[in-house]
Amino acid sequence: MAIGTMLSAFRKLSNTSRITPFRSLSTLVLAEHEGGLIKNSSLSAVEAAKSLGGDNSISLLLAGSGHSLKEAAEHAASSHPSVSQVRIADSDKFTYPLAEPWAKLVHLVQQSGGYSHIIAASGSFGKNILPRAAALLDISPITDVTKISGSNLFIRPIYAGNALSTVRYTGSSPCMLSIRATSFPVASETADLKSNAASIDQVDLSTLDEDKSVAKSTYVKLSAQISERPDLGNARIVVTGGRGVKSAENFKMIDKLAEKIGAAVGATRAAVDAGFVPNDLQVGQTGKIVAPELYMAFGVSGAIQHIAGMRDSKVIVAVNKDADAPIFQVADYGLVGDLFDVIPELLEKLPEKK
């Protein structure tokens, strides 16, 4: 009897506490740019904002300094037909994307703009900024969203992608989200976007200069590998090596195969921890989330945390000499064989990239 009474009370509470979807939608997308161009992951965030429904006014927020910011703003204004405004913060404080000044900027822009939603891609850029910005706004962000079912209803993976959780946001405005870019692919547009470019407006940073918290961190340096290969997060084809590759020297075979077919190179956490490759190539729950058209896995056992980062790939090909390897449970095509025999044969028979 007590349990039945408790469940009845819970149902009543659930029904009365449901917040109706936002009546007026306006979304601020935190945009990352490089070399005067908006990154594809930020355009995926715009696609996610479209999914909120209704008459949604979408603004892009860019920060930086100098000529590169101006170029990025011009590109942003014509990058997506759903963008109605580009807001730029031009200051030396934003030369590098540090969390403290960026979080304060988001707080400042939200106070003046009153947006219903704030969205960023779930990469290192968004993960660095959103928690601090959410704390300043006294709200709880919803992270790693893979589907938007309404203005306050979202789906996100849990248990390393083995289950999906439906989250209803019942907090105060704004609703802050980080989205998986691979779940919101950017549609190709045929319209002339330059003729319908969004307006570009400067953010008033006068009060930002008075805040001493933005100077709590300093930029030291950026360590990056320069490569002609496609970016791992956006590549059409990814070739990944696991612990079965056995050494950094052997991993060169993965590099050769990737180079021949124009693919990006990925690695499992085990391969990274063993020192075969740097950690920026790691695919998985604690690495990069990818969803290429073709994912080729060599010597990859298929640990849960790795599968969480590539299970949305369109076609998965796995090569492993262990017939019971978990990777074969998610693979579309599997070959039980020795990668040291298979890769040389592929290198011999595959045509060069066009």
Side-chain angles (χ1 to χ4, degrees):
M1 187 69 176
I3 294 177
T5 304
M6 182 177 66
L7 290 174
S8 177
F10 179 76
R11 290 191 195 99
K12 291 180 180 179
L13 179 63
S14 297
N15 290 331
T16 55
S17 64
R18 286 181 182 177
I19 290 182
T20 56
F22 293 90
R23 293 182 179 179
S24 178
L25 296 178
S26 58
T27 304
L28 182 68
V29 174
L30 311 187
E32 188 178 7
H33 61 93
E34 185 177 26
L37 299 174
I38 302 300
K39 289 195 172 183
N40 285 337
S41 57
S42 295
L43 294 179
S44 292
V46 176
E47 284 291 326
K50 281 174 55 181
S51 304
L52 292 169
D55 187 14
N56 188 9
S57 175
I58 302 175
S59 300
L60 279 178
L61 177 61
L62 278 71
S65 61
H67 185 65
S68 63
L69 176 62
K70 182 180 178 181
E71 286 184 335
E74 292 173 352
H75 176 242
S78 57
S79 62
H80 199 289
S82 298
V83 175
S84 58
Q85 183 187 36
V86 176
R87 305 194 67 179
I88 61 172
D90 191 347
S91 169
D92 290 339
K93 292 183 174 65
F94 301 110
T95 302
Y96 306 105
L98 299 176
E100 286 82 1
W102 251 100
K104 189 62 183 177
L105 173 64
V106 173
H107 181 252
L108 180 68
V109 172
Q110 173 61 25
Q111 284 183 319
S112 62
Y115 297 95
S116 64
H117 294 77
I118 297 176
I119 300 180
S122 185
S124 57
F125 174 78
K127 289 177 180 178
N128 193 30
I129 296 167
L130 286 191
R132 185 176 290 269
L136 291 175
L137 293 168
D138 195 24
I139 57 175
S140 297
I142 302 172
T143 58
D144 275 348
V145 171
T146 57
K147 185 178 179 180
I148 295 176
S149 300
S151 61
N152 66 339
L153 197 63
F154 313 99
I155 296 175
R156 62 183 300 274
I158 56 176
Y159 300 116
N162 288 304
L164 295 175
S165 172
T166 300
V167 180
R168 184 184 298 275
Y169 183 73
T170 59
S172 58
S173 184
C175 174
M176 183 176 283
L177 312 171
S178 70
I179 60 96
R180 285 194 178 180
T182 54
S183 299
F184 299 92
V186 182
S188 56
E189 300 289 342
T190 57
D192 182 11
L193 298 180
K194 290 188 177 180
S195 61
N196 298 297
S199 61
I200 301 175
D201 302 306
Q202 291 273 358
V203 176
D204 182 7
L205 301 176
S206 57
T207 57
L208 186 73
D209 296 331
E210 301 170 3
D211 195 315
K212 295 181 180 179
S213 66
V214 299
K216 285 186 175 180
S217 63
T218 56
Y219 174 83
V220 179
K221 67 176 181 178
L222 172 66
S223 297
Q225 289 188 332
I226 300 175
S227 174
E228 295 181 358
R229 292 200 190 99
D231 176 65
L232 179 57
N234 301 311
R236 291 177 56 251
I237 306 174
V238 174
V239 180
T240 292
R243 192 199 306 269
V245 180
K246 296 182 179 179
S247 69
E249 182 65 26
N250 291 337
F251 215 93
K252 292 178 181 178
M253 290 195 305
I254 302 292
D255 291 332
K256 287 180 181 178
L257 180 59
E259 186 175 350
K260 185 161 190 176
I261 61 177
V265 173
T268 64
R269 180 171 180 173
V272 170
D273 289 347
F276 298 169
V277 289
N279 59 9
D280 60 337
L281 298 184
Q282 182 180 328
V283 174
Q285 188 178 19
T286 54
K288 293 185 178 179
I289 309 295
V290 300
E293 294 178 19
L294 174 61
Y295 188 87
M296 304 177 73
F298 295 91
V300 175
S301 63
I304 290 176
Q305 83 88 24
H306 179 74
I307 290 175
M310 45 68 73
R311 69 188 314 151
D312 291 331
S313 302
K314 307 301 182 291
V315 177
I316 300 172
V317 176
V319 176
N320 197 304
K321 61 183 180 181
D322 180 6
D324 297 323
I327 189 69
F328 289 125
Q329 296 177 14
V330 297
D332 298 286
Y333 300 93
L335 175 61
V336 178
D338 193 330
L339 68 90
F340 297 104
D341 296 327
V342 175
I343 293 180
E345 192 170 349
L346 285 172
L347 288 170
E348 180 184 343
K349 294 183 177 180
L350 281 174
E352 299 286 345
K353 65 177 181 180
K354 295 181 180 179

